[in-house]
Amino acid sequence: APCALSCTVVAVGKDASATGHPMVAHTDDSGSDTTDVRFVRVPRKQWPKGSTRKLYHWVDGYPRVVAPERSDEYAPVNGQRPNVPIGEIPQVPETYAYWDMDYGVQNEMGLSIGESTCTAKTVGWPATPERPYGYCHIGIEELSKIALERCATARCAVETMGKLAVEQGFYSADSGEPSAPDLEDSAEALAVADPEELWIFNVMTGKNNASAIWASMRIPAGHVTAIGNSFTIRKMNLSDSENFLYSPGVTELAEEMGWWSPKDDAPGIFDFFGAYGYTPAVHDSPDPSFNKLDKNTIAFYSGRRMWRIFNLLAPEEGAKLDPDTGNLPHTKNPYPTSVAAPPGSVTPRKVMSVLRDHYEGTPYDLTVGMAAGPFGSPNRGPVTPWGVNGIWERAISMHRTSFSHVAVADPNGTCVTWMGYDSPHGTAYLPWFCAAEAGAPEEFRSHDGYQSKFSTKVAWWAFNMVNQYTDINFQLINKDVRAKATVIEDEGEKLVAECLAKAGKNPATKGRELSKCSNDFASEKVAEWWDFAFSLFAKYGRYSITYNESENGMGLMVYPAWWLNSAEVGYTLWAKHGPFHGVPDPVKSFVASALSSTGVNPWEFCLKDAIWPIVSMFVGFGCFRMGTRNGRMLEKRESEGSPYIYMAA
């Protein structure tokens, strides 16, 4: 399903945060296209009276935009031409500086943002020349950036974004075509934090591919929240403007379309996700089995991550949640928008750990089982062939993550964004100060390479190369990678404290000092990561573990016994007529398993044609009984509303 290519948000209220201020984390989980991985600094600027702020249609690949008025780092190079805007709005006299990627990250005031694409019942398209059917002029990319340019508080940010979305018409970058609208990716959610408050913002296109419908909710200070590609704002108190904000006439389209009625909720209460969230139709679709899979995919693709994040950051409250609940608009007893975490318990490092998670130690652990291979890889990179319906469990850390960040919204110019390239499980998060005067080092914004062009001058490639190499033996190599990342992040924490203390002594040079401090550290650690990458080639090359040139300086990687003994692998089923290939015949495998405990050679037994029909009769009867039992179990699960369906190629 398309939603399988989207991002995760984790956010923490100030009282739950160990820093005493909110945090927002985001994983940018690229799908079937490339991502511009440059980490750009947009400077503080003053604008002449009468200026306009251009609105662009941003793309995923390099360059995501060419707009020299925004930043010198977005100026055209190598024959590039500036983008043609699809709209414009009046510019404000002065705009804040901020760190920028696909979406705005953090500005100099500490305002911090994380993004996740969502489902909705409406769809809109950008008003670009090649889309005559598009009437909208602003997407989540520009909304997030304008919020950072103009606002110091989260409340200002959501109000500003909501107002512009309604006026300009909101579109999602992943909305498909009018002939095949993609409702699974047609809306957006943001977590937005300032040094005091944390808000979430849900937005979708309005009626007739125009305007917008949006809602925003303030998260309690002692809570953590999670967004995994679905709206999470449910029961809104429309008279409580301290905690809920929304677009004018927020309920009107839902009432007009029959998606919601005032009778559905208590007076003054509106279920935003219940009214506007998308659920694939199953019974009326041309392919009910696929749509049922699609429905379950959306439910657990989102819900499982919410459950896991709540369990990791708020164990007491998380333990009360059922991992099989899912997260659909009309899920019974749905997950809460946020849960209370122990006061002061969530550190930036703990959030980084969450971003690196694959459900380890749970029934959904992606690092164990046959699909993880003999060396426990959580990565499920290749796609399945056409006609095979199914879905892998969706981890938080993904092989296709292009970058992730943990933005700490500390006040008074002390805020920091910890940014890591490529998959969180194989990166080192480096600190960047919100008050920095200069941009990042060249290797973080270079035009020399991008995701379709390798370059040792581009920092992203160092981390991507390590993550790709790790798949040779994930559990073995990733252990070294995480140990190296821990050392660097320990050094980074120490550096942040030292740099802030030093820069605070002279406010006039604070921005310059902080820039030099983080830039020198980042360049040093990227160079160190390149050296580390090449050391892994030597240590783990040739499926060996090489320590030195001595007689005993090399060891061999060892397959685990459980994997070798598996009938699906076939290592123990070698026969004189050739090695085993493919999935074993189910009946023969059953017999082989049964006879292996008796000491009889199963393959010699199976070759005795006179005996085989008799064995087949008994096995067939056993399979019939097993099939009958499984069928009854399936009927029972279906009658109980089981979220799972059985699939076959």
Side-chain angles (χ1 to χ4, degrees), residues 42-192:
V42 177
R44 176 188 278 252
K45 284 193 173 186
Q46 294 182 335
W47 302 90
K49 186 176 181 180
S51 297
T52 60
R53 204 282 193 186
K54 306 295 188 293
L55 303 177
Y56 295 104
H57 175 57
W58 293 64
V59 298
D60 293 332
Y62 168 86
R64 54 181 171 254
V65 77
V66 180
E69 80 282 0
R70 193 74 55 89
S71 169
D72 289 344
E73 296 175 29
Y74 282 133
V77 298
N78 303 324
Q80 295 172 349
R81 295 183 178 181
N83 284 58
V84 176
I86 62 171
E88 60 183 8
I89 58 175
Q91 183 60 282
V92 295
E94 187 170 23
T95 51
Y96 294 122
Y98 60 99
W99 292 112
D100 192 32
M101 298 192 82
D102 279 356
Y103 316 97
V105 178
Q106 185 180 61
N107 74 8
E108 61 184 291
M109 305 304 291
L111 186 66
S112 307
I113 290 177
E115 177 273 349
S116 184
T117 303
C118 298
T119 71
K121 291 176 180 174
T122 63
V123 64
W125 293 277
T128 55
E130 70 276 15
R131 295 180 180 88
Y133 49 82
Y135 311 129
C136 302
H137 296 88
I138 198 162
I140 202 65
E141 298 85 358
E142 286 286 43
L143 286 176
S144 67
K145 299 170 199 297
I146 292 172
L148 295 181
E149 291 167 11
R150 300 185 175 193
C151 293
T153 68
R155 181 180 287 266
C156 166
V158 298
E159 289 179 329
T160 298
M161 291 188 293
K163 182 173 183 290
L164 287 173
V166 170
E167 292 176 351
Q168 297 296 318
F170 170 81
Y171 68 89
S172 168
D174 305 306
S175 291
E177 304 290 335
S179 59
D182 183 5
L183 299 177
E184 295 181 20
D185 297 277
S186 65
E188 290 284 350
L190 300 177
V192 188

Side-chain angles (χ1 to χ4, degrees), residues 121-122 207 251-260 275-276:
K121 291 176 180 174
T122 63
K207 182 179 179 180
T251 69
E252 290 176 1
L253 182 61
E255 293 183 72
E256 178 183 333
M257 300 299 295
W259 299 333
W260 177 86
Y276 291 124

Side-chain angles (χ1 to χ4, degrees), residues 370-409:
M370 187 57 69
F375 303 124
S377 174
N379 298 326
R380 307 288 189 267
V383 299
T384 53
W386 181 258
V388 179
N389 288 343
I391 190 77
W392 299 114
E393 196 72 44
R394 204 291 195 188
I396 299 171
S397 182
M398 297 289 287
H399 67 278
R400 53 180 165 76
T401 302
S402 291
F403 58 85
S404 55
H405 70 252
V406 179
V408 185

Side-chain angles (χ1 to χ4, degrees), residues 121 212 278 327 331 612:
K121 291 176 180 174
Y278 170 69
N327 191 49
T331 297
W612 181 247

